[in-house]
Amino acid sequence: MHIDVRGSGPALVMLHGWAMHGGLFAPLAEQLEQRFTLHMVDLPGHGRSADSALPLELAAVGAELSRRIPSALWLGWSLGGLFALDAALRFPAAVRGLVMLCASPRFVRSADWPQGMPAELFRGFAGELGHDYHGTLERFLSLEAQGSDHAREELRRLRAQVFAHGRPAPARLLEGLQLLQDTDLRDGLSRLNIPSLWIAGRRDRLVSPAAMQWSAARTRGGRYIQVEHGGHAPFLSHADEVAVAVDSMAQALAA
């Protein structure tokens, strides 16, 4: 599994979302690399980890990262948030603090979770991948950019990055969609014994800010903030705001 390490200071793990890779964090990394040693991960099957034999599974990825990276603050965006939250619960010695960036413990709607997205959305993307690979990714990227006050610029950046390190394998993308559809980590929130920061984009069309606010309230010492004009990828359009929030989290850990 490829990990791009740069910068200096306390360790910060950065986990990307579906179909992407760690290089997408470049605007945020530029803001943070003078104060953190960044560990920008390409999840198995994505980016420069395209040929990784490691399964795209929460426990396997968490174990590998906890072995290779010193105890750190972990940041997970979208699908990456599930990996970060699971690692915090499963490998508490490895995760000093948690930043959930437009990510929640459950992505799919249910009778007791109205804040989620319809399951049909993820099933639809999975069904379309086989016969319209590029069109499916384009529709997902468009959904990620919607709502932001810089939606066109965000979509341009997402399009530029998605194939920057090769074409994600359809089988791995299907595994990622399955994780988004099936994972439910809500019961673990009360066991989260580390500081957590939940950063939402108020205009996010994929992850409800209400879901993130609910989650923050059920953790010990959880804190919720939102980027008022941000969508699902506020680290692209509002990297300075996100960087300030991450800095504040690191300062709280150091206190």
Side-chain angles (χ1 to χ4, degrees):
M1 188 163 52
H2 178 85
I3 304 174
D4 182 14
V5 182
R6 66 174 72 175
S8 60
L12 171 62
V13 177
M14 305 176 78
L15 298 166
H16 62 82
W18 185 75
M20 284 296 172
H21 53 83
L24 185 67
F25 286 119
L28 183 58
E30 291 173 5
Q31 300 265 352
L32 296 174
E33 62 185 349
Q34 300 303 315
R35 299 179 299 283
F36 296 90
T37 299
L38 305 179
H39 298 260
M40 298 172 7
V41 177
D42 286 1
L43 292 169
H46 295 72
R48 287 158 290 188
S49 298
D51 297 325
S52 173
L54 194 72
L56 189 66
E57 297 174 356
L58 300 182
V61 169
E64 176 71 4
L65 293 178
S66 64
R67 182 183 67 82
R68 293 175 58 182
I69 300 173
S71 181
L73 173 63
W74 287 42
L75 178 152
W77 169 60
S78 196
L79 172 64
L82 293 178
F83 285 93
L85 177 55
D86 184 79
L89 295 168
R90 199 184 298 265
F91 308 103
V95 186
R96 297 181 59 238
L98 178 67
V99 178
M100 296 287 281
L101 180 55
C102 298
S104 77
R106 179 174 172 84
F107 278 71
V108 171
R109 184 180 301 164
S110 62
D112 64 345
W113 189 242
Q115 303 97 320
M117 295 292 290
E120 293 77 12
L121 176 75
F122 297 105
R123 286 199 292 266
F125 283 126
E128 293 165 2
L129 261 178
H131 60 83
D132 188 10
Y133 178 94
H134 286 88
T136 301
L137 289 180
E138 176 67 21
R139 285 187 286 277
F140 195 87
L141 299 183
S142 297
L143 187 59
E144 289 181 321
Q146 281 181 19
S148 169
D149 58 353
H150 298 291
R152 288 185 180 179
E153 175 61 17
E154 282 189 29
L155 183 56
R156 184 189 67 79
R157 290 190 178 190
L158 289 165
R159 285 169 172 162
Q161 286 290 337
V162 65
F163 299 127
H165 297 294
R167 185 177 183 266
R172 290 301 185 99
L173 294 181
L174 286 172
E175 291 171 0
L177 288 171
Q178 201 68 48
L179 280 174
L180 289 170
Q181 186 171 326
D182 295 345
T183 304
D184 186 354
L185 300 176
R186 288 176 296 168
D187 287 347
L189 295 177
S190 62
R191 297 187 284 108
L192 196 63
N193 291 319
I194 57 171
S196 61
L197 174 63
W198 303 71
I199 306 175
R202 187 176 66 84
R203 300 173 176 178
D204 193 339
R205 299 295 188 266
L206 270 173
V207 175
S208 165
M212 298 187 64
Q213 192 167 20
W214 181 94
S215 301
R218 277 149 184 82
T219 64
R220 296 170 188 161
R223 187 162 63 95
Y224 169 84
I225 64 173
Q226 66 182 21
V227 179
E228 287 298 316
H229 301 286
H232 188 61
F235 60 91
L236 295 178
S237 57
H238 301 81
D240 52 347
E241 288 186 51
V242 176
V244 167
V246 174
D247 275 329
S248 70
M249 181 65 166
Q251 292 166 12
L253 289 176

